Amino acid sequence: MEQQIDRLKKVLISKFPGATPELERAKPLKKVGGFLIWGGFEGLEQIKRQRALSRALKEGLTPQELAKVTTILTITPGEAEAMREAAVAD
């Protein structure tokens, strides 16, 4: 599973330079998902972010690897910080 996460991180970083992928295994699916934090998402609507992510995954992964990926949320560093602050406040 770690090999799968490492491979996905490499693809994401190569397609989104400077990005921070925060990935983990989604139980019980045995798929990988998480967050892709990237400054380049600033000012983009969520649908455009997801389309860019989808394109990158299709270009960088084999169909077998792609089948092992679940939801990856696309957020900016500011949005990630706001989420962390909200989690601490709860």
Side-chain angles (χ1 to χ4, degrees), residues 33-90:
F35 298 91
L36 177 60
I37 305 165
W38 188 51
F41 291 138
E42 194 70 47
L44 289 180
E45 295 176 4
Q46 194 57 237
I47 189 70
K48 290 184 178 181
R49 297 176 188 189
Q50 287 296 314
R51 286 180 180 151
L53 173 63
S54 179
R55 252 189 327 272
L57 293 176
K58 287 177 184 175
E59 290 172 3
L61 299 175
T62 66
Q64 295 80 12
E65 291 170 325
L66 192 55
K68 295 177 184 174
V69 176
T70 189
T71 305
I72 298 176
L73 299 178
T74 50
I75 59 176
T76 67
E79 291 165 344
E81 183 62 29
M83 286 173 47
R84 289 184 182 105
E85 288 175 7
V88 170
D90 285 342

Side-chain angles (χ1 to χ4, degrees), residues 4-37:
Q4 181 182 353
I5 291 173
D6 290 343
R7 169 85 173 113
L8 182 53
K9 281 184 180 181
K10 286 180 186 177
V11 168
L12 292 173
I13 290 169
S14 74
K15 301 290 185 177
F16 301 94
T20 304
E22 294 184 0
L23 305 171
E24 63 184 18
R25 184 172 78 90
K27 299 174 185 172
L29 303 174
K30 298 184 180 177
K31 294 186 177 190
V32 175
F35 298 91
L36 177 60
I37 305 165

